[in-house]
Amino acid sequence: MEPPCLALLVFFGTLLVLPQASVGSTRHYTFNVAMQNVTRLGSTRAIPTVNGKFPGPKIVTRDGDRVVVKVINNVKDNVTIHWHGVRQLRTGWYDGPAYVTQCPIRTGRSFVYNFTVTGQRGTLFWHAHVSWMRATLYGPIVIFPKHGVPYPFPKPDKEVPIIFGEWFNADPEVIIAQALQTGAGPNVSDAFTINGLPGPLYNFSSKDTFKLKVQPGKLYMLRLINAALNDELFFSIANHTLTVVDVDAAYVKPFDTEVVLITPGQTTNVLLRANPHPGCPPATHLMLARPYSTANPGTFDNTTAAGVLEYAPPGHIKTHPLFRPTLPPINDTAFPANFSARLRSLASAEYPANVPREVDRAFFFTVGLGTNPCPANQTCQGPNGTKFAASINNVSFDMPATALLQARYYDRVAGVYTADLPFEPLEPFNYTGTPPNNTNVSNGTKVVVLRYNASVQVVMQDTSILGAESHPLHLHGFDFFVVGQGNGNYDPAKHPAGFNLLDPVQRNTVAVPAGGWVAIRFFADNPG
Ligand SMILES: *[C@@H]1O[C@H](CO)[C@@H](O)[C@H](O)[C@H]1NC(C)=O
Ligand SMILES: *[C@@H]1O[C@H](CO)[C@@H](O)[C@H](O)[C@H]1NC(C)=O
Ligand SMILES: *[C@@H]1O[C@H](CO)[C@@H](O)[C@H](O)[C@H]1NC(C)=O
Ligand SMILES: *[C@@H]1O[C@H](CO)[C@@H](O)[C@H](O)[C@H]1NC(C)=O
Ligand SMILES: *[C@@H]1O[C@H](CO)[C@@H](O)[C@H](O)[C@H]1NC(C)=O
Ligand SMILES: *[C@@H]1O[C@H](CO)[C@@H](O)[C@H](O)[C@H]1NC(C)=O
Ligand SMILES: *[C@@H]1O[C@H](CO)[C@@H](O)[C@H](O)[C@H]1NC(C)=O
Ligand SMILES: *[C@@H]1O[C@H](CO)[C@@H](O)[C@H](O)[C@H]1NC(C)=O
Ligand SMILES: *[C@@H]1O[C@H](CO)[C@@H](O)[C@H](O)[C@H]1NC(C)=O
Ligand SMILES: *[C@@H]1O[C@H](CO)[C@@H](O)[C@H](O)[C@H]1NC(C)=O
Ligand SMILES: *[C@@H]1O[C@H](CO)[C@@H](O)[C@H](O)[C@H]1NC(C)=O
Ligand SMILES: *[C@@H]1O[C@H](CO)[C@@H](O)[C@H](O)[C@H]1NC(C)=O
């Protein structure tokens, strides 16, 4: 086993004595990471898989259970697995990000992840957390409530995970290595997938179509997961209304929608009543997933994955009419604002929303793209011959060679990280206005240190430096409440008055709106 190795957030303070946990079961899994030949879009490629499956196996657990997964690395690249959204209460070293909470698992080695799922119900997912290995190494985590505890909505007759991904004809490891070398944006994917399958709207792909067979009158719960590397996706099923009941393994006040928007790293449970147009002849209904993006055409994959909703009795698909849902325009910036405004916590006696009302520590983070200069002896393909660099408050993250948590645990942080990430931009500017002339960012391995149980507010502000774009942000080890969001620049004198502190949605991943801002709050209750 590798040594226990920290998170970007380091907490100091007394540890709480946990109340005696109710005894859950332990779920054991073995993940053998190995290459497997897979054919998509007419060509065959050997890809890293778990247990030969693509997408990988489903982890099924209950709120309160322990999950133990032995991961064996039988591929040439380093691997770690991240249990995306699992709180990892005081088990930060099992969270998975390479060089943050652990050293990677080398070829031929194994590592046992061992954690409990506490106070979460719904859907999460696991994925590799080194480089771009997650392009093919991912799978669902299904979390049922504790034994005997019902859902706060009608019990579905059947539950089906639907995991979206991005398929690359080239090796994703080569793509990201090239992008880091040249400084250009990485090559875009060749297809989106639904449960690993692109569907009939791509060449050579009609037999690789996800089919969901349903019976009229039955209630289905689709556990939607966006495991795509880069793109936010619209999802819709022709002639069917979806009822959103849970996001990121936390219940929400149910609401109906024709279209779901799901950001990479997010999950959404929706109910689907199989009951189309009674009295009409049987039909086949397409389900579609395609991006929401404000980027320039050509800089992102704008193709469409399709699956099929089939009514029994099957066998007459070709003769049935085929219905296609209508998706919003790719750059429909009003949709994400309206959709997120509808997401509300249950905030009931059983499922309270423990929203921090006071703020001990407030952060204002600019989030966006800048540039790094091109090394003298190289030519670069980023803006004006520079290299693209993503940054927070103008600091681009340098991956350390020692895991942050390990450095902290052994009290050897010197040379690994510094605790001086600016809590606000050093030089304020019009974040969504005319870009500054100097687009250079600095580099560093900088962290924020928080006191145990501090209440924290983070406002994330998109920048238009190299084009306003929506950026998904995921917080490890915590759920947070999305208390506000808006267009343009955040105004600390004006906007907090409009924050929702009653029933804001609780989640682990949020999109910083293109040319806008989002405010989150959480309690720093998970040292690590
Ligand atoms: C994939 O197929 C190629 C060509 O048939 C073969 O040489 C290779 O061993 C296969 N790889 C795996 C991992 O099965
Ligand atoms: C793989 O991980 C080990 C640490 O576990 C590290 O020493 C090595 O440099 C990594 N290899 C690559 C190619 O990143
Ligand atoms: C998992 O962790 C628990 C609590 O520390 C421990 O009792 C158990 O032995 C561990 N299981 C494995 C397989 O390591
Ligand atoms: C990425 O795209 C560029 C330009 O089209 C191409 O030259 C390069 O080979 C591609 N990289 C990979 C890994 O396919
Ligand atoms: C999709 O991207 C291609 C270029 O890659 C572009 O020609 C086309 O107009 C785009 N379509 C939409 C709907 O943006
Ligand atoms: C099903 O949806 C299609 C297109 O979205 C629409 O044209 C058709 O009228 C709908 N059928 C019914 C019965 O609602
Ligand atoms: C979306 O793109 C279309 C076509 O490129 C453009 O005409 C329209 O103004 C864009 N809408 C928004 C909201 O940016
Ligand atoms: C470029 O220069 C750096 C040092 O500045 C050196 O490490 C690297 O090997 C050089 N690369 C090439 C391709 O010459
Ligand atoms: C690139 O250079 C041109 C001319 O010097 C300048 O107008 C433009 O703002 C620069 N763009 C970026 C992204 O730096
Ligand atoms: C920031 O830039 C935007 C877009 O150009 C403009 O509408 C706004 O007035 C500017 N804000 C300030 C405070 O200058
Ligand atoms: C940016 O560059 C332009 C043209 O060179 C110049 O007019 C302007 O004053 C510069 N802006 C700032 C903030 O330096
Ligand atoms: C930041 O790091 C990148 C790549 O690691 C390097 O090319 C660049 O020169 C660095 N920039 C600064 C300002 O140190």
Side-chain angles (χ1 to χ4, degrees), residues 101-458:
T101 65
Q102 70 171 106
C103 319
I105 311 167
R106 278 178 276 190
T107 309
R109 302 287 199 91
S110 66
F111 184 87
V112 178
Y113 293 88
N114 178 354
F115 53 85
T116 57
V117 173
T118 307
Q120 301 188 288
R121 315 115 192 132
T123 309
L124 295 171
F125 70 115
W126 57 265
H127 62 80
H129 211 300
V130 185
S131 189
W132 270 22
M133 298 295 281
R134 71 183 192 281
T136 59
L137 290 171
Y138 60 79
I141 302 178
V142 169
I143 309 170
F144 293 116
K146 285 182 198 286
H147 261 298
V149 178
Y151 290 131
F153 45 79
K155 189 181 183 318
D157 296 298
K158 197 172 176 208
E159 303 186 4
V160 186
I162 294 195
I163 190 160
F164 305 113
E166 266 177 279
W167 176 264
F168 297 83
N169 286 333
D171 179 349
E173 286 304 298
V174 176
I175 292 175
I176 186 61
Q178 262 177 10
L180 292 173
Q181 166 72 23
T182 66
N187 290 5
V188 303
S189 52
D190 295 286
F192 293 99
T193 54
I194 298 178
N195 289 343
L197 303 168
L201 304 184
Y202 298 93
N203 289 338
F204 314 112
S205 185
S206 53
K207 70 174 180 16
D208 295 324
T209 302
F210 170 68
K211 294 195 174 101
L212 177 61
K213 295 199 164 71
V214 295
Q215 290 183 324
K218 294 254 194 279
L219 186 65
Y220 296 81
M221 182 158 81
L222 310 183
R223 296 173 173 269
L224 309 177
I225 302 163
N226 190 348
L229 273 86
N230 293 311
D231 290 286
E232 293 182 67
L233 295 170
F234 290 122
F235 174 74
S236 185
I237 305 178
N239 307 108
H240 290 75
T241 298
L242 304 170
T243 307
V244 178
V245 293
D246 186 310
V247 300
D248 296 5
Y251 297 132
V252 296
K253 293 192 172 82
F255 69 92
D256 289 351
T257 184
E258 309 299 313
V259 179
V260 167
L261 177 63
I262 185 164
T263 290
Q266 293 183 337
T267 62
T268 307
N269 285 1
V270 296
L271 298 178
L272 165 85
R273 176 72 67 184
N275 194 23
H277 41 80
C280 294
T284 302
H285 306 267
L286 281 183
M287 56 178 84
L288 300 182
R290 84 115 168 76
Y292 157 68
S293 175
T294 58
N296 293 328
T299 63
F300 66 98
D301 179 355
N302 65 10
T303 63
T304 307
V308 166
L309 192 71
E310 260 180 22
Y311 279 84
H316 301 93
I317 302 308
K318 293 220 173 64
T319 60
H320 292 172
L322 183 69
F323 289 126
R324 226 187 131 116
T326 308
L327 294 174
I330 282 189
N331 61 355
D332 185 351
T333 50
F335 190 97
N338 294 336
F339 188 75
S340 23
R342 301 181 73 189
L343 288 165
R344 301 295 175 108
S345 285
L346 274 187
S348 62
E350 273 158 299
Y351 303 99
N354 185 23
V355 190
R357 289 179 180 269
E358 310 295 329
V359 172
D360 298 326
R361 295 291 304 276
F363 298 91
F364 181 68
F365 287 171
T366 58
V367 176
L369 294 175
T371 56
N372 264 161
C374 192
N377 53 2
Q378 212 194 311
T379 45
C380 295
Q381 291 163 20
N384 282 356
T386 63
K387 290 183 159 195
F388 271 117
S391 74
I392 286 184
N393 285 348
N394 225 34
V395 180
S396 190
F397 186 69
D398 265 340
M399 192 66 87
T402 304
L404 303 179
L405 186 59
Q406 181 181 340
R408 176 75 193 99
Y409 184 83
Y410 292 112
D411 201 10
R412 290 188 198 141
V413 303
V416 180
Y417 69 84
T418 51
D420 58 350
L421 183 75
F423 65 89
E424 62 183 12
L426 298 178
E427 293 175 41
F429 60 101
N430 187 343
Y431 308 108
T432 52
T434 310
N437 289 351
N438 181 353
T439 59
N440 278 340
V441 302
S442 66
N443 299 344
T445 309
K446 295 179 183 290
V447 309
V448 157
V449 178
L450 296 173
R451 214 168 19 79
Y452 177 68
N453 250 350
S455 63
V456 182
Q457 172 177 295
V458 184

Side-chain angles (χ1 to χ4, degrees), residues 88-108:
Q88 298 288 4
L89 289 162
R90 295 177 182 76
T91 52
W93 44 85
Y94 292 130
D95 190 46
Y99 301 109
V100 177
T101 65
Q102 70 171 106
C103 319
I105 311 167
R106 278 178 276 190
T107 309

